[in-house]
Structures are given as C-alpha cells and as structure tokens.
Amino acid sequence: MTTDRYNPRETEPRWQKVWTDRRSFEARHDPSRPKYYVLEMFPYPSGRIHMGHVRNYTMGDVIARFRKARGYNVLHPMGWDAFGMPAENAAIERGVHPKAWTYDNIAAMRGQLKSLGLAFDWSREFATCDPAYYRHEQEMFVDFLKAGLVERKVSMVNWDPVDQTVLANEQVIDGRGWRSGAVVEKRELAQWFLKISDFSEELLTALDGLESWPEKVRLMQANWIGRSEGMRFSFTLEDENGKALPDKLAVYTTRHDTIFGASFCALSADHSLVRTLEPEIPGLAEFRREVAALGTSEESIERAEKKGFPLKLYARHPFRKDVRLPVYAANFVLMGYGEGAIFGCPAHDQRDLDFARKYGLPVIPVVAPNGTDPSQFVVGNEAFLEKEGDQTVMINSDFLDGMTVPEAKEAIARRMEALGIGERKVNYRLRDWGVSRQRYWGCPIPVIHCAKCGVVPVPKQDLPVTLPEDVTFDRPGNPLIHHPTWKSTTCPTCGGAAQRETDTFDTFIDSSWYFARFCSPDAKVPVDRAEAKYWMPVDQYIGGVEHAILHLLYSRFYARAMTLTGHLDLKEPFASLFTQGMVVHETYHTEGGEWVLPAEVARLGEGYVRIATGETILTGGIEKMSKSKKNVVDPETIIERYGADTARWFVLSDTPPERDIEWTENGVEGAWRFTQRIWRLVADVQQKGAEKDFPSAISADALDLRRATHRTIAAVSEDLGALRFNRGIARIYELANALAAALQKNDRSDGMAAAIREAGETFVILIAPMMPHLAEECWRVLGHSSLVVDQSWPKAEPALVTSDEVTIAVQVNGKRRDEIRLPKGLSQAKVETAVLALENVKRALDGKPVRKVIVVTDRIANVVSG
Ligand code: ANZ
Ligand code: ZN
C-alpha cells in the first residue's frame, strides 16, 4: 500500500543506493551495442554546487537515461577541473593547503551531485590535480615537444611588481593588478607555447563539418581564428632630411585599395625599430612605459585613447613619389599581429581617423558611394566604412579611380608584386597558446634547465613530476621557486646539476583532453586507443556558452595534436554541442542598497519585507544568479525541502533549455505538487488498471486513452531526442490529464482497465529520465520488482499515433494561453473537458469560476470566466 504523501527524503537516498549497488550506470566497452557518450562540462570544485550546475547536469542526465532506455551503451562520466587560482587564494587568505581545500570541496560537491540522483559512472571519476591524471598530461607534452608542436618563445606578460607575479589579462583592471592595485608592467618572459596557430586553417574549415553545433558558436570560433586576406608590403624609409635609410618598413593590410588615402604609418611600441630608436629620441622610453601599462589585453588597448609618438622618420608612398608619410609609435598597434606595423588611412578606419584628428594629419577619402562627386565627398568625425551590398567607387586614387574596391585590391596587389615590394598574405588572428603559468596549483611543466644542455624534457620513466606539498604562501610569487629543494635536480642528459622548470600549465590544458581520458581512466597510457575508438567522439556535449571559444578550440586542437602523436585517432572531439541558458532570479535589496538573499525575504501585500526585521525590501531586477547580488537559491536547501526530482523537473519545465530560466518559488511549488499528483495517480492506476491484456474489441474511450498514450510516447521521444525537454514535459502533463480523466470516470468499458495500466506504466517510464526516484517508487507501486532504469523505452504503435488531429488555440477571456492537439471534429463537450484540464488555463483562471466555453470547431476554444 502507498502512503498518502510521497516522501522524497526517504525514497531518494534509497533508490540512489540501489543504483549504486547494482552499478546501474557503469559503462563497459561492448562493440555489439551502439554507444552513446554524453558529457557535461566538468565543474571546478569551488565547494558547493549552484543552480547552474543543477540545470546543466540534469539535462545531461535526462539524455543519458533516455539513451540508455533506448538501448544505447551510455557513457556518462564525471570528474573535476581541479587546478587553478581559487585554491591558491584560499591558501593565501585562509592558510589552508590548496590540495586539502580542493579535495574537501570535491568531497562536498560529489555528495551534492549524488543527492541529485545523477546517472554518472562514478567509477571513472578523477580530478585533474591527481598525479595519476597529470602524469599523462606531462607525457603528452613531452611527445608534443618531440613532434614540434611546442615552442619556447619570449613573450610579453602582464607583471604585477608588488605581488611579483604574472597576471592574466582579466586580472588587469584599468592598468592595475586586481589584488595589489599596483600599476602593471609589461615584462618579457621565456614561456612555452603550443603551436595552435599551425592549425588555424584546419580548425577554421573543419567548423563547416560541425553541423550539430550551434551556429553562433561556430561563428564565434571563426571570428576568433580571424582569417583575413591581405597584403604584406614594405615602405622605404628616410630621415627628416630626406636621406634614405637602410631599413625597410613592412606592414600588413587588408585594405591595400586605400593606399592613396594613407597619411601616416604607425608601429607597435614593441616594434624592433622603436626599440632601437628608444635611446636616441627623448621621451620615447616614457611613451613606451605608458603603453606597457595598458597591459596585453586587446580590449583595454581598444578602449584606450589613441596616442602616438613621432619617430622623426618618414615612409615614402610607393606610388606617389612626392608624398611621404610620418612614422609614429602608436598605442593601438599590436606587436603580435601581422607585422606589428600599419599604414593609416583615416578616411576609412575609425582608429586611424581619431589618430589623424588628434595629430592634424590629412584625411583623404578614397572610396565613395557610387555617383558621388569626388570633390564634394568629405569625411567628418566618422570614417566611411562600406557596408555589405553598398555600391562604391574608388576616388582620389590615380590609376585606381573608377574601380570597385575588389578591382582596386587586385590592381594594387599586381603592381606591388611586379615591383617586388609586397605579396598577398593570409593572416590569422589566432595566436599560439601560451601555456606557462607562474603558479603553484597546476601541473608542473616537465622540463629541466641545464646550463650545459639547455632545456631537457624529463624522461618518461621519471614522470610524473609531482608538486611538492610542503610549500608556503607567506611571500609573493610562485611557491615552487621558494621551495628549498624541489627545483634542484640533475640533468638527465649530462648528469650535472640542473633546475626544474617552476612554471605550471595553464589549466585549460587539463580540460582539453579529459573527455578522452574518461574512455579509459585507469589506462597506463594517456588514452587507451581501443577504448577511445569505441567511445569517442562525445555524442552530446553540454555546457555554458562562456566556453564557446577557448575551451572548445583548445580541445579541438588537442584532439589533433594527440592524433599526430599517436594518442588518439580523431579530429573533432564533440560531435554535437548544446549550450544551455543560465538560471536567473529576482534580486532584492534594502533601501540602503544592501543585497539580501531571497531566503531572507517574504512577500507582504504588493511588496517585500525582510523576514527577520520587517524592513522594506525592494526588487532590483531579474539577473543571473550570483553571489555578489545574493540572488542565489541553494540547491541543497531545495533538495532538502522538495527532493531532487522536484528540482530536476522544475529546471527542465516551461523554458526552452537554451534560454535563461527564471527560478521562482511558485514554479518549484508547482513541480512539487505535480510529484504528489503523480503519486496519487499511480496508486489509482494500480487499483483500476488491473488488466494487462486487451480484449479483442475495446471501447471508444479506451481507444482514446490508448491513442493519448501512444501519441505521448511519440512526442516525448522526439522531444527528448532533440533536447526539447520543456516540450516533452508539456506532453507528459497532457497524458497525466488524460489518465486522470479516465480514472475519474470509473469507466469499466471493454479494455479500459488495460488501457489504464498501459497509460500508467508508460507514464512512469516517460517521467523517469526527469524524475528517476519517483519513477522507481511508482514502478514498485505498480507491482514490479524490476527497476525502471532497466526498462526499455516504450514504442509508439503507429496505428495509434496517426489520426486526424488538429491544433486548437486555447484562450482564456479572449487571451491566448495555450494550444492543444485534439482529434478532428471532436464534440464541444470533449473539447471543453480537455481545455479546462490544461495547466495554463487553470493558472489563467486563477480560481475564478468558468461561465462558459466557446468552441469554434477545430480552431479555437475560449474559456470565459465569471
Ligand atoms: C590599412 C587600412 C586602411 C586598414 C583602412 C584598415 C582600414 P584584420 O581584418 O583584422 O586582419 N592592422 C594590421 N596589423 C595590425 C596590428 N598589428 N595592430 C593593429 N592593427 C593592425 O585587420 C587588418 C587591418 O588591421 C589592416 O588593414 C591594418 O589596417 C590593421 F581603411 O591597413 B589596415
Ligand atoms: Zn645537462
């Protein structure tokens, strides 16, 4: 017998234990079955899960459970992206060791994820900070090194002189270190780079094959790779007196057509020519320092006021012998792109225009809308940029006059090639990936520096190079440098005294191959090729769009690099990608502007008050849940109060998964009430649906219920397969209504009992991916000793699915609230019953009595309330 109320607190841990004991979700290589690898981006062990995790992992879980029921051999693993700064910050601020902090957090979060009943194969779990994981990362780095995929280069970093540390671009705020507040300097440092730029073209063109990726992500990646077709050409240089100099100035441009509009040249402050001139020109050193304080981020450079410093040099115009262009060092020219030098054409580039206005340089338009009189066309404070589809013509441009822009580009390219001063060049914005970090809590870079032999990779038999645990955080800089002994070692080549590299890897490396490691988490090699061949690629990858660029691009590169070094045989690691929306919530604050947790607030009349004090609370708008605005709801509290199934159901309902979902108390209450309703419904099914077999002829009502059941199977299967969870759920509500209606009528017509049983059992299997615990409990109530988790997904009988159906728009008091699919020509009474049972209609009625229902056959049903 069932009790009146469904009590998730009792059932959920019980079913979780059953699944664990039966190893229900452990995946085993089985070539006789089709595999399905579903993966959600693994979490950083911050200490607690948040609602974003709940939404993300629930989606993956529904897919995993659904695919399993459909007969796939499912791999659904979980691990921890466990290296990174926050662990070190905790060490500095609170004196806990990063390792202890990290593993404690993992333990806490593992418990929280388990309480959600997620169908993970926990036997494959690892953390990237486990030496057993990162030793393989080190091994692959050594292989990459041998394969020429790695380079050691001097590069510019943001240096915090107080904290004695390198800062990431995001850690530089208005030119100052985020923690110390010190003015950031630029420093040159020898660092390791992975040569991702060798793959620019390949990573770009292969995007076309990623048809199951969101278009916007593919576009973001394409922009990031940033292919452009242009020219590299050289100017001859002269001094103020017109004396020719030996040096030439090479520039990169995509607008060689605008060469007759050139009015200056600009060099990056780090350009070799500028460096050479620094001691000769007073004030130049100061200017370079000022530019350095902008840091290395393109964004801050873009935002800064455009400034230059005249170098007392001139570039001779290649086609106008009487024109020479002043040469500047400028803060907006990047060293890492093209040649680190440009010619400026103010009329057709906004940065160049701002610069020209500031320094009084000529502005000569050379492209104009078709039909413009060249002598009348002027450029004011906005550069003239042609938009796609514009009809334009070259003006003021000598032999180019009258041409279109593409014609002019071609003409200039030919001339320059003929003169031997330039060539066509494809450029990519994508830079090599700098992977050295001057940090403790990361994977040690496995190389040794020997005074005699130079850089020597650590021999494989000496791996892993493990992090020392006895480190201190009492002074600025990298603890690995301060460690008394760790870095002293002997050179593997000559046996002499040598030093370990004290830099560690960028944590993006850790997450660039973890998905491959999950295929064989205990292998003695980084990846067991046979396992990876079976499981890879990931069939469905799910994560936030904030990782659309770097993480995914690095992973795509890693798959290629691993393939080149024989660790994998695959190019694209993620066959299909889904980027879910965020969880948002109303923000609350006091009149004084202090943010207040939703849990501390209660509704009072039209407004809100703080429960503890009664003071007035104001709302500040719906925003992404964040600690800073305190608009967070703790999943643990929700699970304790309502159970995991309610939370899971809520995060999937109503809102399409790619959109932001608003967390509301009402919504959660609604999901909770539905779990209770299911519980009562199933108890009723068990009583009234005693038959298993259908008689040879069944009543019209029984047939109706069967049709509802099979149509729901068809629709939910399609919706879950396409990740339209909210739509699948809406269909499940409809089936609940149909089943409830049949039960209520106490109809004993032929076949009804079997139809009820069929509907009830189907219903339980259909809700199982979303509410797995409740489903198991209901399955037991229905008299089964098997588990729902082991049931196959029901099949829709085609004859019961196809029927003449129409979509009827449902209104309440003339306002559209829903729609419903019903058999064509259905009687007024039946339409009325179906419509009144809709959740959206009930919500819109808000308890008001129904006066009448106006039905326009097969088109509209309007519910009019009293
Ligand atoms: C002359 C010109 C005239 C340009 C004009 C633009 C408009 P993409 O498309 O991103 O490749 N550029 C080249 N190297 C640069 C560097 N190191 N730092 C800053 N800017 C640089 O952009 C290529 C354009 O960006 C080039 O074309 C160059 O300016 C600038 F009406 O050359 B152009
Ligand atoms: Zn040596």
Side-chain angles (χ1 to χ4, degrees):
M1 255 325 284
T2 57
T3 48
D4 291 348
R5 264 174 95 77
Y6 175 67
N7 178 11
R9 251 192 252 193
E10 186 272 318
T11 59
E12 291 187 348
R14 180 156 48 74
W15 288 113
Q16 286 157 18
K17 182 161 186 308
V18 172
W19 297 325
T20 307
D21 292 348
R22 297 218 198 174
R23 307 179 161 206
S24 295
F25 309 119
E26 288 184 19
R28 253 168 301 275
H29 185 157
D30 177 0
S32 70
R33 288 166 64 205
K35 65 92 185 182
Y36 196 91
Y37 185 178
V38 52
L39 184 67
E40 301 93 71
M41 291 179 184
F42 67 163
Y44 177 78
S46 56
R48 297 189 75 72
I49 62 166
H50 53 67
M51 278 304 169
H53 292 128
V54 174
R55 192 177 193 207
N56 186 216
Y57 298 126
T58 301
M59 286 179 193
D61 204 54
V62 171
I63 297 168
R65 288 172 179 272
F66 171 66
R67 292 283 169 175
K68 180 176 177 350
R70 298 212 100 177
Y72 288 91
N73 189 16
V74 171
L75 174 59
H76 186 213
M78 174 46 80
W80 309 95
D81 190 12
F83 274 135
M85 276 297 283
E88 266 178 78
N89 293 342
I92 296 164
E93 283 155 19
R94 279 177 281 142
V96 282
H97 194 281
K99 180 178 168 183
W101 184 85
T102 303
Y103 283 99
D104 284 352
N105 286 351
I106 288 174
M109 288 173 77
R110 184 193 298 117
Q112 291 188 310
L113 291 181
K114 287 195 168 171
S115 73
L116 275 168
L118 300 166
F120 288 129
D121 178 354
W122 286 104
S123 73
R124 292 173 188 253
E125 178 192 2
F126 58 75
T128 55
C129 62
D130 299 340
Y133 177 79
Y134 70 65
R135 68 162 297 151
H136 299 293
E137 198 164 294
Q138 294 174 335
E139 181 181 334
M140 286 197 289
F141 181 79
V142 171
D143 289 341
F144 288 5
L145 201 61
K146 286 184 192 136
L149 293 164
V150 182
E151 206 174 20
R152 195 165 167 78
K153 286 194 272 200
V154 170
S155 102
M156 285 291 184
V157 294
N158 302 310
W159 179 257
D160 184 320
V162 171
D163 274 353
Q164 301 269 309
T165 186
V166 174
L167 300 176
N169 286 333
E170 311 77 74
Q171 295 172 329
V172 181
I173 295 155
D174 294 332
R176 290 173 183 274
W178 66 315
R179 195 199 289 277
S180 70
V183 173
V184 168
E185 299 166 5
K186 270 206 258 177
R187 270 212 181 175
E188 287 193 314
L189 221 59
Q191 300 197 75
W192 291 104
F193 286 83
L194 291 181
K195 290 165 78 178
I196 189 172
S197 69
D198 286 1
F199 295 77
S200 299
E201 186 64 32
E202 152 76 15
L203 288 167
L204 181 68
T205 49
L207 286 172
D208 289 339
L210 297 175
E211 281 155 16
S212 301
W213 280 39
E215 186 54 41
K216 73 171 179 225
V217 174
R218 289 198 281 171
L219 196 66
M220 283 160 88
Q221 292 228 339
N223 288 339
W224 187 260
I225 295 168
R227 183 183 199 274
S228 66
E229 284 177 14
M231 283 206 83
R232 188 196 106 101
F233 74 92
S234 299
F235 287 98
T236 54
L237 290 175
E238 60 195 57
D239 68 12
E240 280 171 302
N241 308 318
K243 194 170 133 259
L245 298 169
D247 288 330
K248 297 244 183 310
L249 176 64
V251 296
Y252 176 71
T253 178
T254 48
R255 294 298 307 273
H256 28 297
D257 55 301
T258 66
I259 185 70
F260 288 99
S263 57
F264 67 95
C265 283
L267 278 57
S268 157
D270 293 320
H271 193 282
S272 60
L273 193 57
V274 181
R275 288 170 183 243
T276 334
L277 291 172
E278 185 181 278
E280 288 166 40
I281 310 180
L284 183 52
E286 174 58 31
F287 177 76
R288 290 192 64 218
R289 262 197 300 280
E290 200 185 305
V291 177
L294 277 177
T296 58
S297 111
E298 271 182 44
E299 227 183 294
S300 61
I301 291 166
E302 203 55 53
R303 257 188 284 120
E305 187 197 350
K306 311 291 166 271
K307 279 191 189 162
F309 192 95
L311 296 175
K312 304 199 170 125
L313 286 178
Y314 295 85
R316 206 28 90 173
H317 193 286
F319 304 115
R320 279 216 162 124
K321 291 299 154 232
D322 54 333
V323 172
R324 60 183 210 169
L325 313 172
V327 179
Y328 292 80
N331 64 354
F332 64 91
V333 183
L334 310 168
M335 194 51 219
Y337 188 73
E339 301 298 320
I342 63 157
F343 78 79
C345 175
H348 303 292
D349 183 290
Q350 194 59 46
R351 292 176 307 184
D352 295 352
L353 184 61
D354 297 346
F355 191 83
R357 293 289 181 225
K358 187 173 168 91
Y359 296 107
L361 299 164
V363 178
I364 312 156
V366 289
V367 182
N370 260 356
T372 321
D373 174 359
S375 63
Q376 299 300 306
F377 188 63
V378 286
V379 165
N381 279 325
E382 228 175 276
F384 176 71
L385 310 174
E386 36 168 20
K387 287 181 278 308
E388 224 174 276
D390 280 1
Q391 301 290 319
T392 58
V393 61
M394 301 303 300
I395 58 169
N396 301 328
S397 292
D398 201 313
F399 60 92
L400 303 176
D401 282 351
M403 291 185 185
T404 63
V405 165
E407 285 165 356
K409 281 186 179 169
E410 183 58 31
I412 291 290
R414 291 216 173 141
R415 285 251 182 155
M416 288 190 171
E417 281 164 349
L419 290 170
I421 57 171
E423 65 275 331
R424 296 170 216 241
K425 196 167 175 232
V426 171
N427 233 320
Y428 300 90
R429 225 180 67 97
L430 183 63
R431 302 267 69 89
D432 279 339
W433 175 13
V435 297
S436 302
R437 296 290 179 273
Q438 295 66 38
R439 306 253 173 256
Y440 166 71
W441 194 235
C443 169
I445 299 180
V447 295
I448 289 166
H449 299 271
C450 169
K452 261 211 284 187
C453 315
V455 177
V456 184
V458 175
K460 286 197 179 176
Q461 69 270 16
D462 295 345
L463 296 177
V465 178
T466 45
L467 284 174
E469 289 184 22
D470 52 338
V471 285
T472 54
F473 293 87
D474 48 0
R475 43 183 168 149
N478 181 354
L480 291 177
I481 296 176
H482 308 144
H483 192 281
T485 54
W486 184 78
K487 63 177 188 264
S488 315
T489 183
T490 50
C491 170
T493 308
C494 70
Q499 301 246 304
R500 285 192 191 287
E501 167 99 28
T502 53
D503 286 354
T504 53
F505 281 139
D506 177 5
T507 57
F508 270 110
I509 290 196
D510 312 335
S511 52
S512 292
W513 70 284
Y514 77 107
F515 43 86
R517 183 72 185 164
F518 275 140
C519 300
S520 53
D522 302 317
K524 296 277 175 290
V525 290
V527 180
D528 179 311
R529 289 273 300 261
E531 292 288 337
K533 196 169 168 46
Y534 177 67
W535 291 114
M536 290 295 290
V538 173
D539 295 280
Q540 182 65 61
Y541 198 32
I542 310 174
V545 74
E546 67 275 16
H547 293 298
I549 299 180
L550 291 185
H551 164 56
L552 294 172
L553 197 61
Y554 291 153
S555 299
R556 297 179 62 218
F557 160 71
Y558 240 78
R560 286 162 171 84
M562 286 170 72
T563 297
L564 274 175
T565 48
H567 291 291
L568 204 62
D569 187 10
L570 169 95
K571 287 195 167 162
E572 292 298 338
F574 312 120
S576 182
L577 173 73
F578 186 80
T579 53
Q580 91 277 7
M582 297 181 302
V583 183
V584 298
H585 195 284
E586 182 65 86
T587 52
Y588 302 101
H589 61 85
T590 62
E591 279 168 339
E594 179 204 343
W595 297 108
V596 181
L597 285 167
E600 294 174 24
V601 175
R603 207 177 174 114
L604 191 74
E606 288 299 287
Y608 295 91
V609 290
R610 195 175 200 147
I611 299 166
T613 60
E615 92 194 90
T616 303
I617 292 293
L618 306 171
T619 54
I622 297 163
E623 288 187 43
K624 175 184 176 176
M625 281 192 183
S626 78
K627 276 190 202 137
S628 60
K629 297 211 168 154
K630 289 203 177 172
N631 59 335
V632 288
V633 176
D634 183 10
E636 206 165 288
T637 321
I638 296 298
I639 294 168
E640 266 164 32
R641 192 176 308 157
Y642 301 102
D645 285 342
T646 292
R648 295 168 59 116
W649 188 258
F650 173 74
V651 294
L652 298 169
S653 305
D654 296 334
T655 310
E658 65 279 8
R659 292 234 212 103
D660 291 352
I661 184 172
E662 189 191 348
W663 183 275
T664 63
E665 196 67 26
N666 278 346
V668 182
E669 287 284 344
W672 165 248
R673 278 195 306 272
F674 191 56
T675 61
Q676 298 299 341
R677 185 172 166 220
I678 292 172
W679 187 237
R680 293 189 299 268
L681 211 57
V682 166
D684 216 7
V685 167
Q686 177 59 8
Q687 289 200 345
K688 296 179 183 157
E691 299 300 319
K692 264 213 151 21
D693 303 317
F694 287 98
S696 50
I698 66 171
S699 71
D701 282 345
L703 184 62
D704 269 356
L705 182 55
R706 293 207 70 197
R707 281 190 195 283
T709 302
H710 285 265
R711 277 199 294 268
T712 309
I713 296 172
V716 173
S717 308
E718 208 187 299
D719 288 334
L720 295 190
L723 278 54
R724 293 188 301 250
F725 309 111
N726 59 314
R727 286 179 47 176
I729 282 180
R731 295 302 207 135
I732 288 175
Y733 274 113
E734 286 174 25
L735 181 59
N737 292 340
L739 182 55
L743 288 163
Q744 222 157 44
K745 277 202 276 182
N746 242 331
D747 174 348
R748 310 233 168 146
S749 62
D750 287 344
M752 197 51 168
I756 284 174
R757 167 135 309 249
E758 180 187 47
E761 299 206 335
T762 301
F763 184 84
V764 168
I765 299 177
L766 295 185
I767 62 164
M770 283 72 80
M771 299 205 272
H773 312 87
L774 176 60
E776 295 290 4
E777 198 66 14
C778 290
W779 195 243
R780 208 202 39 149
V781 167
L782 291 175
H784 296 280
S785 54
S786 58
L787 297 189
V788 176
V789 113
D790 298 322
Q791 301 309 304
S792 350
W793 196 251
K795 283 195 182 61
E797 280 178 35
L800 292 170
V801 175
T802 49
S803 78
D804 285 343
E805 272 196 345
V806 282
T807 304
I808 294 179
V810 179
Q811 305 176 338
V812 176
N813 296 325
K815 227 171 140 185
R816 193 191 167 96
R817 296 293 183 182
D818 208 340
E819 58 181 41
I820 189 169
R821 301 268 306 160
L822 291 172
K824 235 183 187 160
L826 201 66
S827 71
Q828 157 100 24
K830 285 202 170 161
V831 173
E832 203 173 307
T833 323
V835 164
L836 290 177
L838 290 172
E839 282 300 321
N840 284 339
V841 170
K842 289 188 194 159
R843 205 169 303 149
L845 283 171
D846 199 20
K848 287 191 280 293
V850 176
R851 199 145 54 83
K852 60 178 174 189
V853 180
I854 304 161
V855 176
V856 182
T857 310
D858 293 347
R859 286 184 49 210
I860 300 172
N862 183 21
V863 181
V864 183
S865 71

